[in-house]
């Protein structure tokens, strides 16, 4: 009999126990998940942002780098290697006790993996995904976070003087499930340490939160993309997320395939689609890029850009409705500087864009607010 405990709420999705052995067909048919509102925030542990699996104490069956793959874990029931079943995740060997009389792992035995976040920030929630690990998942997990500047080595991260803050205390998890943990620690972190007790396999780790960039680095760069995710930009809302998330439009680099951008369903009314962004802070920009890479027959027909200065400010159009070409990067210079804290791209009548870039710099008051927040959060 399988023991399943599920909590579907605005706060978490928790599961315990094994899942049923794979019986054929769609392996995700019995996958367990729940309502995880914090996933609206960007995944700070996204490999596309520059996240890295720095080290792990054991990866005998499956390597730690799989934890950060953006796509969901895949399962091939026929794939076996010299060490056993090939799994799309991070899997350690079975722990053993010290002697025949005590063959079981110790109470504190665990395996660990060190993860460098792609962009430092405030963590709002964590998903420990055990997809396809049905009876070989850990009994429980815990997650800690630390702030270490620069590009520290594993040895430096594990040094005694590094302060690790517990974000997820040791908690039972379920197999073949999205185990969600909301986080309410108001602090800027650069690294996380995932622990599985005592051993087992985890398919993916998602660390959702808000990027808090280094204001000194932004100032030294001069002009930069003020809406980019890695610089602290954020998607606040979008009219449609049917095919792909709007956050894709502010990911680093150019889109590499169609679903690496934002595409809407086909409209059958007289409306239009849009994305609303919050900029890194109050900014001034003039150079705009609207890219439709890989959107060949489903790019938006026209796009317009508006800005708002402050939460209660009025929207002001700075780029009138402009014709978009499919699979093309549109570089546009505004007639004058646009100043604001928010931006909105309107796409007519539907379709999608792959990237939005707004090149400029922070205003004096915007830079001051960002510096104050950075210091307040321990940056």
């Amino acid at each position: 009999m399988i023991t399943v405990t599920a909590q579907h709420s605005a706060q978490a999705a928790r599961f315990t126990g094994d899942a049923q052995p794979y019986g054929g067909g769609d392996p995700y048919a019995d996958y367990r998940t729940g309502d995880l509102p914090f996933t609206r925030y960007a995944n700070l542990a996204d490999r596309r942002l520059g996240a890295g699996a720095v080290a792990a104490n054991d990866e005998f069956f499956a390597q730690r780098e799989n934890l950060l793959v953006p796509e969901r874990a895949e399962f091939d029931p026929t794939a076996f290697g010299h060490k056993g079943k090939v799994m799309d995740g991070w899997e350690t060997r079975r722990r053993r006790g010290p002697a025949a009389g005590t063959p079981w792992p110790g109470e504190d035995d665990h395996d660990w993996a060190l993860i460098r976040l792609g962009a430092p920030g405030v963590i709002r929630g964590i998903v420990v995904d055990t997809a396809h690990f049905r009876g070989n998942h850990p009994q429980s997990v815990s997650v800690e976070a630390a702030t270490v500047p620069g590009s520290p080595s594993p040895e430096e991260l594990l040094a005694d003087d590094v302060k690790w803050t517990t974000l997820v205390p040791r908690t039972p998890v379920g197999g073949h499930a999205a185990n969600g943990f909301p986080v309410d620690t108001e602090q800027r972190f650069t690294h996380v340490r995932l622990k599985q007790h005592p051993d087992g396999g985890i398919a993916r780790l998602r660390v959702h939160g808000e990027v808090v960039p280094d204001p000194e680095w932004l100032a030294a760069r001069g002009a930069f993309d003020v809406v980019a995710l890695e610089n602290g930009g954020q998607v606040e809302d979008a009219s449609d997320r049917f095919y792909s998330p709007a956050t894709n439009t502010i990911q680093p680099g150019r889109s590499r395939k169609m679903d690496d951008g934002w595409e809407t369903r086909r409209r059958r009314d007289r409306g239009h689609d849009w994305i609303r962004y919050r900029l890194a802070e109050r900014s001034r920009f003039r150079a705009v890029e609207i890219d439709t890479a890989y959107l060949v027959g489903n790019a938006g027909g026209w796009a317009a850009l508006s800005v708002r200065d402050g939460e209660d400010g009025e929207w002001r159009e700075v780029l009138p409705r402009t014709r978009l070409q499919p699979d093309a990067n549109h570089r546009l210079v505004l007639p004058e500087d646009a100043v604001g804290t928010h931006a909105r791209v309107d796409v007519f009548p539907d379709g999608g864009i792959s990237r939005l870039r707004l090149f400029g710099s922070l205003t004096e008051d915007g830079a001051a607010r960002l510096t104050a927040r950075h210091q307040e959060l321990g940056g």
Side-chain angles (χ1 to χ4, degrees), residues 123-289:
I123 297 171
R124 299 302 184 192
I126 294 171
V127 178
V128 178
D129 189 348
T130 57
H132 314 304
F133 290 96
R134 295 169 175 270
N136 50 351
H137 61 285
Q139 183 181 31
S140 58
V141 300
S142 58
V143 183
E144 302 164 305
T147 303
V148 184
S151 302
S153 66
E155 293 75 20
E156 291 171 320
L157 289 170
L158 295 172
D160 292 339
D161 61 344
V162 174
K163 177 187 175 184
W164 289 92
T165 300
T166 298
L167 302 184
V168 179
R170 184 171 175 175
T171 306
V173 294
H176 197 45
N179 298 277
F181 305 94
V183 175
D184 60 3
T185 303
E186 287 293 322
Q187 188 174 335
R188 179 182 184 267
F189 294 111
T190 61
H191 294 77
V192 297
R193 178 163 59 187
L194 171 65
K195 294 180 179 180
Q196 52 177 333
H197 310 263
D199 55 39
I202 297 170
R204 299 288 188 267
L205 176 70
R206 310 299 191 203
V207 182
H208 295 277
E210 299 176 69
V211 175
V212 181
D214 182 349
E216 184 178 3
W217 171 249
L218 295 183
R221 291 175 61 185
F224 61 92
D225 182 1
V226 299
V227 76
L229 181 59
E230 60 187 325
N231 295 331
Q234 182 177 320
V235 168
E236 287 193 330
D237 201 1
S239 60
D240 188 293
R241 299 179 176 88
F242 189 81
Y243 286 112
S244 47
T247 302
N248 282 351
T249 62
I250 53 174
Q251 288 279 6
R254 294 199 73 195
S255 175
R256 297 168 298 172
K257 51 195 174 96
M258 191 174 71
D259 66 351
D260 193 18
W262 174 64
E263 181 191 356
T264 72
R265 75 191 82 194
R266 299 188 187 210
R267 277 190 172 268
R268 303 306 187 197
D269 58 20
R270 306 295 290 180
H272 73 279
D273 289 313
W274 51 267
I275 306 175
R276 187 177 76 240
Y277 304 89
R278 187 180 71 193
L279 307 184
E281 244 299 345
R282 189 169 187 259
S283 305
R284 174 179 286 103
F285 65 89
R286 192 172 182 184
V288 175
E289 287 188 4

